[in-house]
Amino acid sequence: MRVVADHDLCLGAGQCVLHAPEVFDQSDEDGTVVLLTETPPGEQVEKVRVAVRMCPNAVLSLEEEKEEDAPVVGSSSSSG
Amino acid sequence: MRAPLPPASAPTPPAAPARSAPGHLPALPLRRDDPLDPPPELALIRQETPISRMTFPDGEEGWLLTRHEDVRAILADGRFSADRITASSPVRRINFRPEERPGLMLTMDPPEHTRLRRLLTPYFTTRRMQALAPRVERIVAEHLDALRAAGPPADLVPAFTLPIPSLVICELLGVPYADRARFHAWSAASLSLTAPEAEVLAARDALKSYMRELVDAKRRDPDDALLGTLIRADNDLTDAELGGIGRLLLIAGHETTANMLALGTLTFLTHPDQLAAFRGAPDAADRAVEELLRYLTIIQFGTTRLALEDVEVHGRRVRRGETVVLSLPAANRDPAHFDRPDELDVTRPPSQHVSFGHGIHQCLGQQLARVEMRIAFTGLFDGLPGLRLAVPADEVPMRDDMAIYGVHRLPVAWEE
């Protein structure tokens, strides 16, 4: 799974760092998102999904890669 | 504490909120049945129709949206402006005069909003705010020491819930905390729905003069706090903008968190099972804070947006120049999005509540608010054993008369 950030949209609310601090950081210059890794390890995937969902400006998206050892597509995450 | 809903196939015409007079459109429902729940009419409207025509106190007509999905969509839609100069408000709001506007990025759209937001965001990042935790812990501990030294009973609003976020934002901005009596009074008048208009404008002007003088002083002798740092940094902020930023962050920085702390404490004290769940697990505090934000939604009248062009919403035409009210309390209790929405459950997984807004204006200070709430709630219930209300719950005076909900006073006692 690959994380993609549309930097121009980012207003630095910091939700991604709150929910997945191992994957996201914020720039010291303008507070916008910095990807610490584009391909988070399996144990981070659920946190990254939460971060994507929480982003207030649809900055983040996920590209699923076809050959992954575990099927993560459609993993059941409660959107409560 | 759910309002009973009529059968889906009610034979009568669509339910009209109670205060609508014949020939007049309804206004935003305001009357609460339970002090911790939104007005029950909102749930009825949310169920009946996705978009309703409504009337504003200024006589203008506009629209009300109550569903979670719609509120989020419009807050993220660039065809709707955050304008607060010409938009109508569902409750009395004395809109900003043009001279008040510089620096008030919550009233701006891109690109002018983007410029200010990106200048400020580096100072409010998640990691920076989390790094303030030790300082917030000391401030909380000092206020608990003072409470214990004085002994019960006490009013937690002036003794705990207001001073903690106030001191934190003063230190962050570089505003002298010694001046708090003055700016607390100006801030309270600015948020009042019932104070005479002249008093509200006088308070806003006084805060504006105060902040401009402070900016002048920082120009002469900039310190390391935020206003001084912005003055020393390489940017093109004018003094008027710096003053506006100072006013916005000072008011937003203490009124919101202060009211969440007081209302959240009342909520815990009237929901002992939830308090037990909050205190029972070491990592429960973060989830509890999010749930309180959702459940209480202190931005009680929601927010407004102004259509910049004609927009079709659920088959209705919102015309250019019309105001749309986005009910954050209704969205945060929408059963289409939240399981058991009217139930307080502090163990709820992270939810997409809209208490900090959504879209480009989502709260700049939200990560600071989270740090303050986590530490203050934990400290309060650890530090004052047996904490309880010192008056019956229904005698706690609620802030129905203020733009930001909460309590005016919170009399408590504890075991010494």
Side-chain angles (χ1 to χ4, degrees), chain B residues 128-141 371 375:
Chain B
R128 255 191 201 240
M129 296 301 99
Q130 289 172 345
L132 292 178
R135 177 63 189 139
V136 177
E137 281 164 10
R138 274 200 301 281
I139 291 171
V140 167
V371 169
I375 294 170

Side-chain angles (χ1 to χ4, degrees), chain A residues 10 13-14 21 24-26 53, chain B residues 117-118 126-127 352 359 367:
Chain A
C10 183
F24 301 102
D25 202 350
Q26 287 168 275
R53 218 163 53 224
Chain B
R117 177 88 185 204
R118 289 212 166 143
T126 303
R127 287 188 214 281
Q352 291 173 306
Q367 309 302 346

Side-chain angles (χ1 to χ4, degrees), chain B residues 1-53:
Chain B
M1 274 176 255
R2 236 189 135 126
L5 296 173
S9 58
T12 45
R19 244 159 301 159
S20 63
H24 289 85
L25 290 168
L28 183 73
L30 301 177
R31 195 185 50 77
R32 294 172 187 259
D33 280 355
D34 184 296
L36 301 184
D37 288 331
E41 282 173 43
L42 282 173
L44 205 63
I45 293 169
R46 188 183 54 221
Q47 177 179 284
E48 293 281 337
T49 176
I51 178 164
S52 325
R53 199 86 176 125

Side-chain angles (χ1 to χ4, degrees), chain B residues 251-266:
Chain B
I251 291 189
H254 78 268
E255 285 283 354
T256 48
T257 306
N259 283 298
M260 272 305 300
L261 289 178
L263 192 61
T265 301
L266 172 66

Side-chain angles (χ1 to χ4, degrees), chain A residues 2-79:
Chain A
R2 181 174 296 275
V3 186
V4 181
D6 185 341
H7 193 266
D8 287 347
L9 289 178
C10 183
L11 274 303
Q15 298 271 19
C16 53
V17 185
L18 183 71
H19 291 285
E22 295 89 348
V23 178
F24 301 102
D25 202 350
Q26 287 168 275
S27 141
D28 286 334
E29 202 175 304
D30 63 6
T32 57
V33 62
V34 173
L35 286 176
L36 299 175
T37 170
E38 287 184 9
T39 51
E43 73 270 13
Q44 292 293 327
V45 166
E46 195 46 45
K47 287 183 181 178
V48 173
R49 288 188 195 283
V50 173
V52 170
R53 218 163 53 224
M54 295 297 177
C55 176
N57 211 34
V59 173
L60 303 173
S61 55
L62 299 179
E63 287 177 359
E64 308 288 352
E65 283 161 344
K66 288 181 186 108
E67 299 297 322
E68 279 202 289
D69 46 359
V72 292
V73 181
S75 77
S76 64
S77 60
S78 74
S79 66

